[in-house]
Amino acid sequence: HIFIDLAIINSLGRNRMNEVKPPQIDFSKYPPEIQSAVQKYSEFINDKLEPDLQRVLELRDTIYTRMSEYLKLKTHIDTIRAQGLEELETKVDLGSDFFVKAYVPDTSFIFVS
């Protein structure tokens, strides 16, 4: 059996950026099999888990951005319906915060790309 000191587990706190703080433990006092196990797990964390976590966090951010855009769209649709607007003048973002005026003569159809 491999015994892992509880100090190792307790030292794995998280900072405000949700990144794991590396343990500050001197493993030289442990037997070689413990040192090799710690090395193996450290490599697995650094080579596999951290890149996977980064990809998942980026995917999560992309999903949150899309959800935010859909919620804005829903709010606009709810406003149009609540006010009974049949036509609409608005501003449209063409990208890079470049806005142009837009006129919608018929709000009964909404096209989303």
Side-chain angles (χ1 to χ4, degrees), residues 1 4-5 13 18 20 26 28 30 44 47-48 50-51 53 58 81 83 87 96 111:
H1 296 334
I4 302 293
D5 194 339
N18 289 331
V20 175
D26 180 19
S28 63
Y30 291 98
F44 178 71
D47 297 341
K48 177 66 176 152
E50 285 183 0
L53 175 63
E58 289 171 2
R81 286 183 176 169
Q83 295 182 4
E87 58 184 24
S96 300
F111 298 96

Side-chain angles (χ1 to χ4, degrees), residues 5 8 11 17 30-31 34 41 51 57 64 66 73 75-76 81-82 94 99-100 102 111:
D5 194 339
I8 297 170
S11 67
M17 300 294 291
Y30 291 98
I34 297 294
Y41 287 117
L57 292 176
Y64 282 170
R66 292 186 76 188
L73 177 61
T75 301
H76 292 306
R81 286 183 176 169
L94 297 179
F99 290 89
V100 295
F111 298 96

Side-chain angles (χ1 to χ4, degrees), residues 1-111:
H1 296 334
I2 296 177
F3 174 78
I4 302 293
D5 194 339
L6 287 178
I8 297 170
I9 296 171
N10 291 334
S11 67
L12 294 174
R14 292 191 175 268
N15 65 16
R16 290 184 181 175
M17 300 294 291
N18 289 331
E19 295 176 5
V20 175
K21 295 179 184 177
Q24 302 297 319
I25 297 173
D26 180 19
F27 290 104
S28 63
K29 65 182 178 180
Y30 291 98
E33 61 270 5
I34 297 294
Q35 293 178 22
S36 68
V38 169
Q39 179 66 28
K40 181 177 88 170
Y41 287 117
S42 293
E43 289 173 0
F44 178 71
I45 289 169
N46 293 332
D47 297 341
K48 177 66 176 152
L49 296 181
E50 285 183 0
D52 286 352
L53 175 63
Q54 188 62 36
R55 281 191 298 274
V56 168
L57 292 176
E58 289 171 2
L59 180 60
R60 179 204 60 187
D61 292 344
T62 301
I63 291 170
Y64 282 170
T65 300
R66 292 186 76 188
M67 286 174 57
S68 173
E69 292 172 1
Y70 285 122
L71 287 173
K72 286 180 189 176
L73 177 61
K74 181 185 180 304
T75 301
H76 292 306
I77 292 170
D78 290 344
T79 301
I80 291 170
R81 286 183 176 169
Q83 295 182 4
L85 299 175
E86 294 179 8
E87 58 184 24
L88 177 67
E89 283 189 32
T90 187
K91 292 182 181 178
V92 177
D93 186 359
L94 297 179
S96 300
D97 291 328
F98 183 76
F99 290 89
V100 295
K101 288 184 180 180
Y103 173 72
V104 180
D106 182 12
T107 61
S108 62
F109 293 99
I110 298 173
F111 298 96

